[in-house]
Amino acid sequence: MAALEDEFTLSSGVLSAGPDGLLGVEQSNKTDQFLVTDRGRTVVLYKVSDQKPLGSWSVKQGQLITCSAVCNFQTGEYVVVHDNKVLRIWNNEDVNLDKVFKATLSAEVHKIHSVRGTEPVLLFKEGAVRGLEALLAEPQQEIEAVLSDGEVIRWTKLFMVFRHPVLIFITEKHGNYFVYVHMVNSHTLSKYTLLRGQEEKSVIQSFTASVDRKFISVMSLSSDGCVYETLIPVYPTDPEENQRVVSSLLLRAVVSGSAPSGVALTVLDRDHVAVLGSPLSASKGIQVMPPFVNWEASQGDGLGSQHAEQPRRILRRRKIEVSSQPAVPPSKQLLTTIMKDSEKHIEMELRKFLAVKTPDFHAIVGDLVTGLLGRCQVEPSFCPRNCLVQLIQTHVLSYSLCPGLMEMAVKKTDVQLLQLCLQRFPDIPESVTCACLKIFLSIGDDSLHQAEIDMESVFDYGDSVQGDNVAAPVDVLQNGFSPEGDTCLSCCQEVPAKPQDAAAATPTCPVTPQRAALLNAILHSGYSEAFLLPHLKDIPAQHITLFLKYLYFLYLKCSENATMTLPGIHPPTLNQILDWICLLLDANFTVVVMIPEAKRLLISLYKFVKSQISVYSELNKIEVSFRELQKLNQEKNNRGLYSIEVLELF
């Protein structure tokens, strides 16, 4: 690892060009000239070798430049957008921007892209893409909206792939990220949902990307200080379908601690990335660095630029070697890789395979899992956890295709894999579901805090505590009905009096949010009651009591609103909660009733059942009255245009 060389000053006057800093720095048509746009009104052309500006242009007072100026490499002219919709084009001879070519567009522009070999490309704020010439021919043409409401563009870049421009832009909506790949010449747009793995709990600070012959490598720097990579095919199998891609860890801790908000990431070549704005940015994996580097040029405007200087005889020899080998299907190549290569290499090859769905994709995924599990049995130190997570997230697997997967996860107490399997597999046997439940109830809180658990089904529980003083029985309204205290069993009188303090009467969750997320996965799983009950009897009584307390807590939270539902994304339903309370009591009542610490819980459940019976009894009475009203309405069909009726209910 080598340190970066001393920085090279583009111009000491750049930052003084505007009070709000820079909007962008773009290459001019000459290698040592750059267009510098500030966040105000000015564009300056600088010559690096002479360290002086060659020209300066400003918009009028009251106008604001909203897109950084670029050079049209085909004509040598400059292009800029001010006030979001006003397009200006000028050259070195022009002095006043107010007198140069002007075109007012029908939609707001997000960014202008320009690379050598093609015309400038404009990306609009709502996701539409247009070439400059098409806009000049009809400036007021209708611009379609590609993005959904609330979706915002976070990063964008233009590449040349086999001499064809390809625009990539990444959007964000409610913490979810989407990757769009727009083939400019063919007007083909592909959308990918970026499924975040290990970095799900962190915030993405910066994006960058590179392109090879088959894949677009999108890299992201997250607030946890790590760099993650996502592989996207250049030519998708189904452009119309919203496909999903998974990111995986590429570099760990490139930034010490949490990444600051001003940090940036860029690709230098196939083996090097650079991190700017970080204490480690001067020494993190950078070697190939002169006093000044045009980073965009380092990546190459097109494909194959990194191989252009290789001797012809080496290329010829490689071509002969490749042509002499028989073609091996990608799936068989990957299976061979699984049996002998390192975990990191297997993970990289697997991401490439998943990025392009071959015709035998559904059939081969099960074989890949079988191969990984087989090697795990032979080599105990081999643990391809990230690969297994990626395969589970394809939504192709089921328990019957790979029964050894959950068995291995149970043996290793891998709660993340077990949670994923419960969420994805529709055919899990009841015995395996109960084995997962045992682990979820018995595993220590310290181990849960270290695990990467999907918290999507958990709402804000507030303070979560462990112990018997939780979910205390309180007199809450059950569907609008409050049971009378003197109608309870005599044992109810032993329950401590209701606290007068409202805060003390608020139920608290008996488990941590991480354990709650795992138990919610159990509640969502499918089962047959006849096959599940025998296995529930094998769970220790104290764990059954804890699960019952959690279920009763969920019921109390459901009772707090009229819809009887829990907040959050995909939470347990009321029917699931009640069904599992019945299952646990049916299987373990004779054991739980003997535990002193479960007495208050059972009394609370008794009150709950009694109140439900009273509620349904009252509803049945009301139903009879409504039936009578319905009969009266059916008998009086001959009404005038206006009438007043008085109905008496007894």
Side-chain angles (χ1 to χ4, degrees):
M1 182 183 298
L4 290 170
E5 298 289 343
D6 294 336
E7 62 185 9
F8 189 91
T9 303
L10 177 61
S11 174
S12 59
V14 166
L15 292 181
S16 62
D20 300 323
L22 297 179
L23 186 60
V25 179
E26 300 288 343
Q27 177 84 51
S28 179
N29 57 347
K30 296 183 179 180
T31 56
D32 65 338
Q33 295 182 9
F34 291 85
L35 285 170
V36 179
T37 310
D38 65 33
R39 293 184 179 274
R41 304 168 43 222
T42 308
V43 178
V44 182
L45 178 64
Y46 283 95
K47 186 174 183 180
V48 176
S49 57
D50 293 342
Q51 283 287 282
K52 67 178 183 180
L54 299 180
S56 177
W57 301 270
S58 298
V59 295
K60 292 193 304 183
Q61 187 72 29
Q63 295 177 339
L64 185 68
I65 295 178
T66 51
C67 290
S68 58
V70 300
C71 176
N72 185 344
F73 294 104
Q74 293 182 337
T75 64
E77 296 173 319
Y78 307 124
V79 186
V80 75
V81 171
H82 65 82
D83 300 312
N84 294 311
K85 293 184 177 181
V86 182
L87 185 71
R88 297 280 188 176
I89 301 177
W90 78 100
N91 54 37
N92 289 326
E93 286 71 30
D94 293 313
V95 177
N96 191 347
L97 279 185
D98 192 42
K99 296 182 179 180
V100 302
F101 176 84
K102 170 186 174 182
T104 302
L105 308 178
S106 62
E108 295 186 353
V109 179
H110 175 78
K111 187 175 178 60
I112 312 172
H113 287 281
S114 184
V115 297
R116 297 184 185 276
T118 186
E119 64 173 329
V121 175
L122 283 75
L123 173 62
F124 290 85
K125 288 187 177 181
E126 293 189 342
V129 177
R130 293 290 190 277
L132 178 62
E133 295 300 326
L135 285 174
L136 295 180
E138 189 180 354
Q140 283 295 308
Q141 62 182 274
E142 182 179 355
I143 304 298
E144 71 277 7
V146 176
L147 307 183
S148 59
D149 292 338
E151 196 172 354
V152 181
I153 299 175
R154 295 301 184 195
W155 180 87
T156 174
K157 188 174 179 63
L158 182 66
F159 293 94
M160 291 297 290
V161 181
F162 297 110
R163 299 183 181 180
H164 296 285
V166 177
L167 180 64
I168 303 170
F169 58 98
I170 298 176
T171 65
E172 179 188 5
K173 181 179 181 180
H174 304 320
N176 299 315
Y177 292 89
F178 307 93
V179 183
Y180 293 82
V181 180
H182 189 106
M183 313 296 288
V184 178
N185 290 348
S186 60
H187 304 289
T188 303
L189 179 65
S190 303
K191 180 181 179 181
Y192 301 86
T193 301
L194 182 59
L195 298 179
R196 304 174 66 194
Q198 302 176 12
E199 80 278 22
E200 183 175 3
K201 301 178 183 178
S202 59
V203 179
I204 296 182
Q205 303 282 25
S206 178
F207 287 99
T208 188
S210 62
V211 179
D212 61 16
R213 293 183 176 273
K214 293 183 179 179
F215 297 98
I216 301 167
S217 173
V218 178
M219 301 179 192
S220 59
L221 175 64
S222 294
S223 58
D224 59 3
C226 300
V227 176
Y228 298 86
E229 182 185 32
T230 305
L231 291 179
I232 298 174
V234 174
Y235 301 101
T237 54
D238 189 359
E240 301 299 327
E241 181 182 358
N242 182 6
Q243 305 177 61
R244 298 191 287 185
V245 290
V246 181
S247 61
S248 61
L249 182 64
L250 181 65
L251 292 174
R252 189 181 300 276
V254 298
V255 178
S256 57
S258 60
S261 58
V263 74
L265 176 73
T266 191
V267 178
L268 297 182
D269 56 31
R270 284 188 174 182
D271 302 317
H272 298 84
V273 297
V275 181
L276 301 179
S278 158
L280 298 183
S281 62
S283 61
K284 203 63 180 179
I286 312 298
Q287 300 176 0
V288 298
M289 290 293 292
F292 177 81
V293 173
N294 178 0
W295 287 25
E296 300 296 330
S298 297
Q299 301 172 39
D301 291 332
L303 294 176
S305 60
Q306 296 157 348
H307 306 282
E309 297 179 2
Q310 295 184 3
R312 182 178 299 179
R313 59 185 181 86
I314 297 179
L315 293 177
R316 184 179 302 169
R317 184 177 70 243
R318 288 183 178 178
K319 183 176 181 180
I320 294 174
E321 291 175 355
V322 171
S323 62
S324 62
Q325 297 176 355
V328 180
S331 57
K332 291 187 177 180
Q333 290 180 0
L334 184 55
L335 286 172
T336 304
T337 301
I338 287 175
M339 300 310 297
K340 62 180 182 179
D341 286 1
S342 64
E343 294 179 20
K344 186 64 179 177
H345 184 63
I346 295 173
E347 183 179 349
M348 181 177 62
E349 294 300 319
L350 177 62
R351 282 189 282 115
K352 292 181 179 179
F353 175 78
L354 295 179
V356 180
K357 293 185 178 180
T358 58
D360 60 345
F361 177 79
H362 288 73
I364 198 62
V365 168
D367 295 336
L368 296 177
V369 175
T370 302
L372 290 170
L373 296 177
R375 184 172 173 184
C376 288
Q377 294 177 350
V378 178
E379 302 178 27
S381 60
F382 180 72
C383 184
R385 194 167 178 277
N386 292 336
C387 295
L388 293 174
V389 170
Q390 290 185 56
L391 290 170
I392 295 173
Q393 290 175 335
T394 60
H395 295 270
V396 174
L397 292 173
S398 63
Y399 180 87
S400 56
L401 277 176
C402 50
L405 176 57
M406 294 194 71
E407 294 176 7
M408 181 201 71
V410 168
K411 290 180 181 178
K412 295 189 175 183
T413 320
D414 193 329
V415 292
Q416 183 194 11
L417 280 181
L418 292 176
Q419 184 193 31
L420 280 174
C421 292
L422 286 168
Q423 292 172 340
R424 301 294 195 273
F425 294 175
D427 57 345
I428 300 176
E430 285 77 3
S431 59
V432 178
T433 301
C434 280
C436 296
L437 180 58
K438 288 181 182 179
I439 293 175
F440 295 166
L441 291 170
S442 61
I443 189 172
D445 289 337
D446 293 338
S447 300
L448 287 179
H449 283 299
Q450 297 173 2
E452 297 172 1
I453 299 173
D454 180 10
M455 304 295 293
E456 188 179 62
S457 65
V458 179
F459 59 95
D460 185 12
Y461 288 159
D463 295 331
S464 299
V465 295
Q466 291 273 25
D468 295 332
N469 59 338
V470 293
V474 295
D475 292 339
V476 296
L477 292 177
Q478 310 289 356
N479 288 336
F481 177 78
S482 179
E484 297 181 3
D486 56 357
T487 59
C488 295
L489 291 177
S490 59
C491 62
C492 297
Q493 299 174 359
E494 300 179 11
V495 180
K498 180 181 71 174
Q500 297 300 320
D501 186 11
T506 302
T508 54
C509 183
V511 298
T512 61
Q514 290 82 6
R515 196 184 305 276
L518 297 176
L519 294 177
N520 289 350
I522 294 289
L523 297 181
H524 284 298
S525 62
Y527 63 87
S528 171
E529 182 176 344
F531 293 107
L532 184 62
L533 283 174
H535 298 288
L536 290 176
K537 296 179 180 179
D538 297 333
I539 300 178
Q542 64 270 26
H543 293 159
I544 291 293
T545 304
L546 178 61
F547 196 13
L548 281 171
K549 287 179 179 179
Y550 175 64
L551 293 171
Y552 183 61
F553 164 78
L554 292 181
Y555 170 75
L556 293 179
K557 300 301 283 187
C558 284
S559 303
E560 292 178 355
N561 58 74
T563 59
M564 296 295 288
T565 57
L566 293 172
I569 303 174
H570 199 52
T573 64
L574 181 63
N575 285 339
Q576 290 171 339
I577 296 169
L578 297 180
D579 288 345
W580 272 93
I581 290 177
C582 296
L583 285 169
L584 294 175
L585 290 177
D586 288 345
N588 299 276
F589 182 77
T590 56
V591 178
V592 174
V593 77
M594 302 300 293
I595 302 177
E597 57 267 24
K599 186 174 183 179
R600 289 194 306 170
L601 175 63
L602 293 177
I603 293 173
S604 299
L605 292 173
Y606 166 77
K607 286 185 176 182
F608 152 66
V609 174
K610 188 175 181 64
S611 66
Q612 293 298 304
I613 293 175
S614 300
V615 168
Y616 288 125
S617 176
E618 295 298 323
L619 289 176
N620 286 333
K621 295 177 182 178
I622 296 175
E623 184 182 11
V624 174
S625 300
F626 276 115
R627 286 178 181 173
E628 294 299 323
L629 289 175
Q630 189 176 13
K631 290 181 180 178
L632 289 175
N633 289 332
Q634 292 175 353
E635 292 174 357
K636 297 180 179 181
N637 292 326
N638 299 323
R639 294 188 179 91
L641 295 178
Y642 178 79
S643 65
I644 298 177
E645 297 182 14
V646 179
L647 302 176
E648 296 184 3
L649 297 177
F650 298 96

